[in-house]
Amino acid sequence: MEQTEKKTGWRWGVHRWWVLAFIIIGFYAAKAYPPIQPHIQLPAENVFETGLTFFGQPFYITNTILAMLLADVIIILIAIAIKRASMNPDALPKGISGAVEGLLEGLYNLTEGTAGKWTKFIFPVFATITLSVLVWNWTELIPGVDSIGWLEPAHGEVHGFEKEELWSGFYTIVESDEAVVADDVHAEDSHEASNGYLIVPFIRVASTDLNFTLALAVIAVVAVQWMGFKALGPKYLTKFFNTKTLFSVPIFGVIDFAVGLLELIGEFAKILSFSFRLFGNIFAGSVLLFVIGTLVPVVAQSAFLMLEFFVGLIQAIVFGMLTMVFMSQATESHGDDH
Amino acid sequence: MEGSIVIAAKLIGAGLAMIGAIGAGAGIGIVVSGAVQAMGRNPDVTGTIQTNMILGIAFAEAVAIYCLVVALLILFVVGN
Amino acid sequence: MEALGINLGYFFVQLFNFLVLFVILKAWVYGPIIKMLEDRREKIAQGMEDARVAAEARANAETEAEKIVADAQSEAAQVVREASQRAEEVARDIKAAAEKFAGEAANEARAGVAEERDALLGEVRGQIAVLAMSATQKLLGENLDEKRQHALIDEFFSGVKDGKVVIADGAEGDAVVTSALPLTDGEKKSVEGTVKGSIEFKVDPTILGGLVIRVGDKVLDGSVASKLDTMRQNVK
């Protein structure tokens, strides 16, 4: 970015001066309020204090649920736009609905190339997974996600930060000398404030909550099994309990049976790898953004945002495409290809 | 003092766990190199190759993801 | 599990959220999009089909045009051929008629000429005999019996002696009798008496005397010319 500035700086243009202005403003902003690496934790934070009990487990409205609802709103808006666009089929595809239509058309052709006659059943699952994961992942790029939220006192061993009032009712956290904080704590004799404050963001990317990726993985794997039963009927089970050659072929029958059991285990391993792949990529991406934002507050994060843009896209497509490929593999009769 | 030793050990352990990503990186590189060569030789089947390439990458990447999960477990779960 | 943040409640929230999204998207997005894609594909296929049909029709029209042109050409050629054939026929007819006419005319003329010549020769026959007799008288210096002389000369010319054809004893079939001078009716009669079958009489002065009788493929040569020839051969 800056190199481009230097090379073509003698020319007059609008956008490059905007970029330069933003860089300078960012520089001063980072100087005034240095970015603080947020507290990183795996479970989602509770946004509202009041909670329910669900199957013996506490249930709060977490920031990932809010992110999920935000993503739902975006997806439903897109759906409405596409529905409206499909009302008059003569109109040229344009805008966001046109782009999503193009994406879905690509996915449809891909599914048709892989799945053949089962496309009608596989495509909706594939497309829904891809679209929702895509929107989840890209909510990470919205400014304010992961950074605007309640200011709450830190609990336990977590090291918090001091708060500073920007204007009435709005605060930011600032780095401060720990000793000073400790002195203040002792002076005020307030246990809660002993560790300073943390931000609990209103919205945290849904893909960084294991519950959500796990649920999506379970849906994907269940869809794969459903597709297998739909295509092959009860014969699909012989893939896992391969008793065809167990008694007729002396040793290899047993081996085949064991391989079938391994396939069964593999189905559960699919759940794990699906959920942890998405979770790991996006969680690592957001941690990367935190760290880079803290280390180099001004320009570097832009490049990493672009990287995260692509990672989010690729992970969405990989999640969907793996589901699609597993589903179309499940429709194929197992015993024939050996 | 003991706590900081534990923290240090956790950090080192997480770093060591991520060494496993080397294999996944090399594996993905091999997969993509083979796929790109195949596409160069036979551009007509690019679609099929891409699908299988992404599948292979996903399987190779799964190993790195397991490493990442272990590292995250060590960092955030074990001993907290 | 707790430290990973896995919580059954959140899990189910996401599960049902996904199902709701699935149903909404299936109803609002996938139906129309799949329909649109199918329509577009159908339209493209229809367009291809139309193009194919049009191309086929054009090819058909081209072949038909070619066929028509070829038909017309062959028809024209046929007409021309027939016309020329007819013209040739007419020409041939005309030619044939002309030739026939010419041939008839020529034949008539020839026949007239031959008759005239025969008549002339018949007229001069007596004088030739008188000339020959007087020449022989002069040469021999003796007077032959005139009647006998006439018989000799007649025999010389006609090869008929005592009412019999000397050379044509017993010949059968159609005969062509050639004599140096026209035969008299009596001679003809004696020839007819000798030769069985129809007889054509011809006159050819080059054989000098005697008769040449052709019966079928057999030639009985009693001519003086051939006798002289044989004599010439013997003298040599």
Side-chain angles (χ1 to χ4, degrees):
Chain A
M1 222 177 290
E2 282 173 321
Q3 251 185 347
T4 319
E5 200 70 35
K6 278 173 196 165
K7 272 182 186 169
T8 58
W10 54 272
R11 271 196 221 157
W12 291 96
V14 178
H15 295 97
R16 59 179 60 106
W17 299 113
W18 278 113
V19 170
L20 188 62
F22 283 136
I23 288 172
I24 292 167
I25 292 170
F27 182 75
Y28 280 103
K31 193 134 193 178
Y33 296 100
I36 294 170
Q37 183 182 333
H39 172 63
I40 299 165
Q41 66 170 36
L42 286 182
E45 295 90 346
N46 305 336
V47 179
F48 299 110
E49 287 299 325
T50 54
L52 310 164
T53 308
F54 189 76
F55 283 113
Q57 286 179 312
F59 182 86
Y60 295 97
I61 300 293
T62 61
N63 43 18
T64 48
I65 289 182
L66 288 181
M68 186 195 78
L69 293 175
L70 174 70
D72 286 357
V73 169
I74 294 172
I75 290 173
I76 289 173
L77 285 178
I78 290 172
I80 290 172
I82 289 178
K83 188 174 166 56
R84 192 170 295 168
S86 69
M87 289 291 189
N88 52 341
D90 297 333
L92 290 171
K94 62 184 176 188
I96 289 186
S97 67
V100 176
E101 270 177 31
L103 173 73
L104 291 178
E105 189 179 344
L107 296 184
Y108 187 80
N109 290 335
L110 196 67
T111 315
E112 202 163 47
T114 311
K117 63 173 179 169
W118 299 103
T119 306
K120 279 205 170 61
F121 300 100
I122 295 176
F123 172 67
V125 179
F126 176 28
T128 310
I129 287 176
T130 308
L131 204 59
S132 54
V133 173
L134 190 65
V135 175
W136 285 359
N137 291 351
W138 280 354
T139 51
E140 192 181 359
L141 309 173
I142 299 172
V145 169
D146 278 330
S147 57
I148 296 175
W150 306 120
L151 207 56
E152 287 199 345
H155 299 287
E157 295 176 6
V158 179
H159 171 61
F161 302 98
E162 210 171 325
K163 66 174 177 179
E164 186 182 311
E165 191 166 17
L166 288 177
W167 62 88
S168 57
F170 293 90
Y171 295 90
T172 182
I173 49 175
V174 291
E175 191 90 57
S176 59
D177 192 2
E178 200 175 346
V180 176
V181 176
D183 283 347
D184 286 349
V185 166
H186 285 297
E188 289 175 10
D189 196 23
S190 162
H191 182 69
E192 281 203 336
S194 63
N195 281 326
Y197 293 93
L198 290 175
I199 287 176
V200 175
F202 290 132
I203 292 170
R204 178 178 146 180
V205 181
S207 311
T208 61
D209 189 342
L210 258 180
N211 293 304
F212 287 42
T213 60
L214 196 62
L216 210 57
V218 167
I219 287 167
V221 172
V222 167
V224 170
Q225 313 310 320
W226 168 76
M227 198 68 234
F229 278 112
K230 193 170 180 60
L232 300 177
K235 217 180 111 200
Y236 180 66
L237 280 177
T238 59
K239 183 178 170 188
F240 305 125
F241 305 103
N242 192 356
T243 53
K244 247 188 297 186
T245 54
L246 184 55
F247 302 110
S248 54
V249 184
I251 298 168
F252 292 103
V254 179
I255 291 176
D256 283 349
F257 187 73
V259 168
L261 289 182
L262 277 181
E263 294 248 12
L264 188 62
I265 296 170
E267 295 297 316
F268 289 101
K270 268 181 205 166
I271 298 179
L272 274 185
S273 85
F274 264 137
S275 59
F276 277 107
R277 177 181 301 116
L278 180 59
F279 167 76
N281 270 290
I282 304 305
F283 188 77
S286 70
V287 170
L288 180 72
L289 286 182
F290 293 158
V291 172
I292 292 295
T294 313
L295 289 178
V296 189
V298 183
V299 177
Q301 214 187 8
S302 305
F304 282 94
L305 278 172
M306 282 182 214
L307 177 73
E308 285 310 306
F309 179 85
F310 283 112
V311 168
L313 178 67
I314 288 171
Q315 286 308 313
I317 288 175
V318 162
F319 201 115
M321 193 187 273
L322 280 177
T323 311
M324 186 268 284
V325 169
F326 286 145
M327 283 175 91
S328 55
Q329 275 177 354
T331 61
E332 286 157 13
S333 184
H334 190 66
D336 300 341
D337 51 350
H338 288 299
Chain B
M1 200 57 195
E2 280 176 22
S4 49
I5 288 175
V6 168
I7 290 171
K10 277 166 71 175
L11 293 176
I12 292 169
L16 287 178
M18 284 310 288
I19 288 175
I22 292 172
I28 291 172
I30 292 169
V31 168
V32 174
S33 115
V36 168
Q37 280 185 7
M39 283 184 222
R41 280 167 208 269
N42 195 355
D44 292 341
V45 291
T46 301
T48 321
I49 293 173
Q50 258 172 355
T51 312
N52 288 319
M53 180 188 81
I54 288 174
L55 267 181
I57 288 175
F59 289 131
E61 199 195 21
V63 178
I65 298 297
Y66 298 147
C67 294
L68 180 73
V69 168
V70 171
L72 290 175
L73 286 175
I74 292 170
L75 275 182
F76 300 113
V77 178
V78 178
N80 275 356
Chain C
M1 288 299 248
E2 193 64 40
L4 282 174
I6 292 174
N7 182 315
L8 211 56
Y10 303 151
F11 179 84
F12 279 113
V13 165
Q14 161 57 11
L15 207 66
F16 289 116
N17 176 65
F18 180 86
L19 293 179
V20 168
L21 270 189
F22 181 80
V23 170
I24 288 176
L25 287 177
K26 197 163 163 38
W28 286 1
V29 178
Y30 303 144
I33 279 189
I34 289 176
K35 192 169 160 292
M36 188 189 75
L37 288 177
E38 297 284 321
D39 285 355
R40 194 181 296 164
R41 204 163 292 173
E42 214 165 86
K43 208 179 278 179
I44 290 170
Q46 185 66 38
M48 301 283 269
E49 179 68 20
D50 285 353
R52 199 184 61 76
V53 167
E56 208 168 83
R58 202 187 57 191
N60 280 349
E62 273 173 10
T63 51
E64 205 157 313
E66 272 172 21
K67 204 176 143 206
I68 288 171
V69 168
D71 282 355
Q73 278 175 350
S74 68
E75 207 167 309
Q78 179 76 17
V79 168
V80 168
R81 199 161 53 235
E82 273 175 15
S84 60
Q85 212 167 344
R86 209 168 298 149
E88 266 174 29
E89 260 170 34
V90 170
R92 202 160 47 229
D93 284 354
I94 291 170
K95 203 174 156 192
E99 273 173 1
K100 198 178 160 199
F101 181 75
E104 274 172 8
N107 278 346
E108 274 173 20
R110 215 175 284 140
V113 168
E115 266 173 27
E116 208 165 315
R117 187 193 61 186
D118 286 358
L120 277 174
L121 285 174
E123 273 176 22
V124 298
R125 181 174 168 165
Q127 294 167 8
I128 289 171
V130 172
L131 279 174
M133 271 193 309
S134 56
T136 318
Q137 241 170 9
K138 282 267 169 75
L139 279 172
L140 295 176
E142 60 183 294
N143 224 349
L144 289 177
D145 182 11
E146 196 169 339
K147 201 176 172 189
R148 197 170 134 67
Q149 278 175 358
H150 268 288
L152 274 175
I153 286 167
D154 281 343
E155 193 192 328
F156 172 79
F157 280 124
S158 62
V160 178
K161 187 181 176 185
D162 302 331
K164 262 184 97 176
V165 180
V166 187
I167 56 172
D169 237 356
E172 278 177 31
D174 297 344
V176 179
V177 177
T178 309
S179 55
L181 289 172
L183 298 181
T184 59
D185 289 343
E187 285 162 359
K188 274 182 184 170
K189 249 196 202 116
S190 62
V191 170
E192 275 163 5
T194 315
V195 180
K196 295 175 183 101
S198 64
I199 297 165
E200 189 185 339
F201 293 99
K202 275 190 171 177
V203 175
D204 187 2
T206 53
I207 65 169
L208 298 177
L211 287 176
V212 176
I213 301 175
R214 183 193 293 268
V215 182
D217 52 351
K218 209 159 111 190
V219 177
L220 305 169
D221 196 346
S223 65
V224 175
S226 70
K227 278 176 187 160
L228 283 174
D229 211 30
T230 316
M231 276 166 67
R232 201 179 293 137
Q233 294 289 339
N234 289 342
V235 170
K236 270 185 189 169

